[in-house]
């Protein structure tokens, strides 16, 4: 994975399609980005791409494989999603099973309760153990065309039917598609909802060991044989990420967003400094994603009281961040995240937002920037009220004209300069050092031979300064775009 800033975006969120996205990135962010993660661009029946019908095609409304390859030819490393836990209810495989039941060639493709549970049925105790973030049992009751009545595993939306990874037919499907995606240009495959793919009777059916390690090793070897690498996506306690990192896998730093908010709100970086001292180094850092700001990921890195205070600060200090947007009234059935853009979480304040991004870019790992965050986007209340979907608050689709206007904002210009610095300065190819300093400050230095980059952030005042090595004859210089600026909360 190239060590620079990576963008994460829907295929139609910046300009309406992949071709327009390519033109925008080439014209305005060529030096700022080294990679792009295009969220699911396959034909899909729900969840904005996360209920794929297949992986062999690009949804025609988004573009073509040629458009995808154009991004790669522009020098951007590509990340694609593979939904290892589920497939669309409208897929040919599930529709054949729905029609033919036990006579279908895909009868073992999905998880039938009658075959999964000893005795053919889950007890109330079994169901109570299952880890789920939805207020319903994890199955659908179906009458198959063959006349059979069957419960079929369905963890998420009713359009997302869980795959049976114990089936040889399903494994062949996974292997063929992982290989094909790498051959079509993916350098990294994100394994979406990976922890739900391991299931055993009597367990919580979430990150079940040792089964989960066999699945991950199998998927990783398949992808590596095709020239790529995997990035398992898991929202849970930070120790799971550490387990993955201990085995050499890439992980996400989903703890950083809340830790950074707490540090800025409370003007106290102590918890953040502790995390930087123990967090994995082979990781992708995030502040914002297509989902919400994770809460469960930071448990025990912040105390329960600190978590609640940080959430309360989100609702009181953020811009248009309301508790009601995180309730079933807005189709939010999850308790582990807060729906909000990161810019609005910081009160739509340019100074606080740039402080947060600067710290992210100095954190251990490779920084990923969500497309709304790239443009310092505010909460989209109009879209939220239109769809009544809480996550849409952070899913605004930008026209090319909107993007041109956003690029004129000082906060976006400065963020772009920070990203260019992070993507091009050789110090970040070296070693991370957390410097001993005063309690209210955060100091980080990266060193690579004679190259160095240093940030000093004062959390009491909300200001920071970046210094970096320039050409040898110039010695240590301040980052030009930020020199003489004082960013204050």
């Amino acid at each position: 994975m190239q060590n620079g800033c990576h963008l994460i975006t829907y295929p139609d969120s910046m300009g309406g399609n992949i071709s327009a996205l390519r033109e925008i990135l080439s014209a305005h962010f060529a030096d700022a980005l080294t990679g792009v993660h295009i969220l699911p661009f396959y034909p899909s029946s729900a969840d904005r791409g996360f209920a794929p019908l297949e992986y062999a095609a690009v949804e025609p409304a988004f573009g073509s494989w040629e458009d995808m390859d154009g991004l790669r030819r522009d020098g951007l490393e590509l990340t694609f999603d593979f939904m290892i836990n589920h497939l669309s209810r409208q897929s040919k495989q599930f529709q054949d099973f729905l029609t033919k039941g036990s006579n279908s060639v895909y009868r073992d493709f999905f998880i039938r309760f009658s075959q999964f549970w000893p005795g053919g049925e889950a007890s109330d105790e079994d169901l109570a153990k299952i880890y789920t973030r939805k207020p319903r049992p994890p199955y659908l009751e179906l009458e198959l065309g063959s006349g059979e009545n069957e419960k079929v595993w369905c963890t998420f939306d009713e359009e997302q039917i869980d795959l049976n990874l114990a089936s040889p037919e399903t494994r062949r499907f996974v292997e063929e598609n992982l290989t094909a995606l790498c051959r079509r240009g993916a350098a990294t495959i994100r394994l979406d909802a990976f922890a739900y793919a391991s299931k055993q009777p009597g367990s919580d059916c979430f990150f079940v060991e040792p089964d989960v390690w066999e699945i991950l090793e199998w998927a990783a070897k398949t992808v590596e044989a095709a020239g790529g690498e995997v990035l398992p996506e898991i929202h849970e306690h930070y120790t799971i990420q550490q387990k993955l990192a201990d085995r050499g896998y890439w992980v996400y730093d989903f703890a950083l967003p809340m830790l950074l908010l707490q540090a800025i709100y409370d003007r106290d970086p102590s918890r953040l400094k502790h995390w930087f001292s123990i967090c994995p180094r082979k990781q992708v850092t995030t502040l914002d994603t297509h989902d919400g700001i994770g809460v469960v990921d930071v448990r025990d890195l912040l105390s329960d009281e600190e978590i609640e205070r940080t959430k309360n600060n989100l609702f009181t200090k953020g811009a248009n961040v309301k508790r009601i947007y995180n309730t079933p009234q807005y189709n939010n059935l999850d308790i582990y995240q807060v729906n909000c853009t990161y810019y609005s979480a910081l009160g739509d304040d340019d100074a606080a937002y740039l402080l947060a991004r600067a710290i992210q870019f100095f954190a251990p790992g490779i920084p990923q920037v969500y497309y709304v965050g790239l443009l310092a986007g505010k909460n989209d209340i109009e879209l939220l009220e239109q769809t009544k979907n809480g996550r849409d608050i952070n899913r605004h689709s930008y026209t090319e004209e909107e993007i041109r206007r956003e690029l004129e904002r000082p906060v976006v210009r400065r963020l772009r300069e920070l990203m260019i610095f992070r993507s091009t300065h050789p110090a970040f190819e070296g070693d991370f050092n957390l410097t001993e300093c005063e309690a209210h400050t955060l100091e980080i230095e990266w060193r690579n031979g004679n190259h160095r980059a240093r940030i000093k952030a004062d959390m009491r005042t909300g200001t920071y300064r970046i210094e970096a090595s320039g050409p040898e004859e110039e010695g240590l210089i301040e980052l030009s775009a930020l020199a003489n600026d004082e960013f204050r909360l």
Side-chain angles (χ1 to χ4, degrees):
M1 194 176 291
Q2 291 189 43
N3 186 12
C5 293
H6 289 232
L7 175 70
I8 180 169
T9 181
Y10 288 101
D12 59 341
S13 289
M14 296 185 72
N17 55 52
I18 300 166
S19 177
L21 170 67
R22 181 187 176 193
E23 291 180 8
I24 290 163
L25 298 186
S26 177
H28 303 292
F29 296 97
D31 297 328
L33 295 168
T34 61
V36 58
H37 177 175
I38 308 290
L39 291 163
F41 49 83
Y42 322 107
S44 171
S45 62
D47 198 18
R48 197 154 179 186
F50 285 90
L53 278 77
E54 59 171 323
Y55 291 94
V58 175
E59 167 58 46
F62 301 150
S64 65
W65 286 114
E66 176 63 23
D67 294 322
M68 297 296 296
D69 193 55
L71 290 164
R72 185 187 60 80
R73 292 198 304 272
D74 288 344
L76 292 169
E77 189 175 74
L78 301 182
T79 297
F80 297 166
D81 281 281
F82 185 83
M83 277 51 77
I84 196 166
N85 180 70
H86 51 260
L87 192 64
S88 170
R89 184 173 182 165
Q90 307 307 319
S91 65
K92 70 175 185 180
Q93 293 88 348
F94 189 74
Q95 287 298 304
D96 191 84
F97 169 68
L98 194 61
T99 301
K100 301 175 183 176
S102 294
N103 295 319
S104 170
V105 295
Y106 301 109
R107 59 186 175 272
D108 296 325
F109 221 73
F110 307 97
I111 304 174
R112 304 162 71 177
F113 267 42
S114 61
Q115 296 181 357
F116 181 83
W117 298 101
E121 188 60 77
S123 67
D124 290 343
E125 183 181 2
D126 288 327
L127 291 175
K129 288 181 181 178
I130 296 174
Y131 185 88
T132 178
R133 290 171 174 153
K134 303 294 181 183
R136 62 166 178 78
Y139 61 81
L140 297 179
E141 293 190 70
L142 303 170
E143 183 176 347
L144 307 180
S146 58
E148 301 167 274
N149 292 310
E150 188 67 79
K151 291 179 180 177
V152 178
W153 207 298
C154 176
T155 298
F156 298 109
D157 187 272
E158 292 188 359
E159 284 291 315
Q160 297 163 308
I161 310 299
D162 287 34
L163 292 167
N164 177 17
L165 294 182
S167 161
E169 291 82 4
T170 311
R171 290 240 170 176
R172 280 195 293 272
F173 169 83
V174 172
E175 289 170 356
E176 289 169 0
N177 282 286
L178 288 176
T179 300
L181 290 175
C182 290
R183 290 175 177 169
R184 289 188 174 107
T188 304
I189 301 290
R190 181 172 74 165
L191 300 176
D192 178 71
F194 169 74
Y196 294 91
S198 55
K199 300 176 176 73
Q200 283 292 337
S203 75
D204 62 3
C205 298
F206 182 89
F207 203 83
V208 178
E209 300 179 274
D211 305 56
V212 69
W213 299 115
E214 185 278 326
I215 294 172
L216 183 53
E217 183 178 357
W218 159 67
K221 285 183 176 179
T222 301
V223 170
E224 288 166 6
E229 56 190 342
V230 296
L231 173 59
E233 184 258 353
I234 302 174
H235 276 284
E236 239 310 312
H237 199 271
Y238 73 94
T239 52
I240 286 185
Q241 310 292 0
Q242 289 180 321
K243 284 184 178 182
L244 292 164
D246 288 344
R247 292 180 180 238
Y249 293 105
W250 282 99
V251 300
Y252 275 108
D253 184 355
F254 288 135
L256 181 60
M258 279 287 282
L259 284 168
L260 196 43
L261 287 177
Q262 181 272 327
I264 292 174
Y265 291 152
D266 292 348
R267 303 177 187 272
D268 177 6
S270 58
R271 297 295 198 185
L272 186 62
K273 285 194 260 190
H274 171 253
W275 175 236
F276 285 160
S277 71
I278 66 170
C279 71
R281 288 346 190 203
K282 189 177 177 180
Q283 64 177 2
V284 174
T285 67
T286 65
L287 294 187
D288 42 9
T289 70
H290 63 287
D291 291 331
I293 297 172
V295 175
V296 66
D297 313 86
V298 81
R299 189 157 291 126
D300 295 326
L301 292 171
L302 295 177
S303 67
D304 289 346
E305 188 277 331
E306 287 169 325
I307 290 174
E308 287 306 307
R309 186 171 69 244
T310 302
K311 288 170 64 178
N312 288 335
N313 281 329
L314 261 167
F315 296 126
T316 57
K317 297 184 179 181
N320 286 315
V321 190
K322 298 181 180 179
R323 294 181 188 276
I324 195 172
Y325 298 154
N326 296 272
T327 66
Q329 185 171 338
Y330 285 83
N331 198 35
N332 185 356
L333 306 178
D334 299 316
I335 60 172
Y336 70 101
Q337 60 184 18
V338 176
N339 293 319
C340 184
T341 76
Y342 212 79
Y343 184 67
S344 288
L346 291 167
D348 295 343
D349 184 279
D350 291 2
Y353 186 65
L354 288 169
L355 170 65
R357 286 296 180 188
I359 292 173
Q360 180 198 6
F361 296 161
F362 271 79
I366 292 177
Q368 185 180 78
V369 180
Y370 183 55
Y371 77 98
V372 176
L374 181 73
L375 300 172
K378 299 179 181 181
N379 281 340
D380 190 337
I381 305 302
E382 182 179 349
L383 178 62
L384 173 75
E385 294 294 354
Q386 182 181 30
T387 65
K388 297 298 182 180
N389 182 344
R391 294 181 179 184
D392 283 345
I393 201 170
N394 191 25
R395 295 180 178 181
H396 180 76
S397 292
Y398 291 88
T399 65
E400 294 183 60
E401 177 57 32
E402 282 181 296
I403 291 170
R404 282 192 289 271
R405 289 199 304 268
E406 296 302 301
L407 287 167
E408 294 302 312
R409 294 168 59 203
V411 63
V412 177
R413 294 202 306 268
R414 287 169 176 164
L415 175 59
R416 179 178 173 273
E417 292 297 326
L418 272 175
M419 292 173 66
I420 292 173
F421 170 67
R422 176 60 183 83
S423 292
T424 60
H425 199 282
F428 294 102
E429 297 292 342
D431 297 320
F432 167 89
N433 295 285
L434 189 64
T435 305
E436 289 288 336
C437 57
E438 297 173 285
H440 62 275
T441 63
L442 173 70
E443 292 188 34
I444 297 171
E445 184 175 63
W446 285 85
R447 282 183 176 270
N448 180 22
N450 293 327
H451 302 287
R452 53 187 171 137
R454 181 169 62 234
I455 185 171
K456 182 175 182 179
D458 187 327
M459 307 309 284
R460 291 184 306 184
T461 61
T463 60
Y464 70 92
R465 182 173 300 279
I466 293 174
E467 296 176 327
S469 57
E472 290 188 9
E473 63 273 14
E474 295 182 18
L476 196 66
I477 61 172
E478 289 185 279
L479 184 59
S480 59
L482 303 179
N484 303 318
D485 281 335
E486 288 289 314
F487 300 131
R488 295 187 179 276
L489 290 173

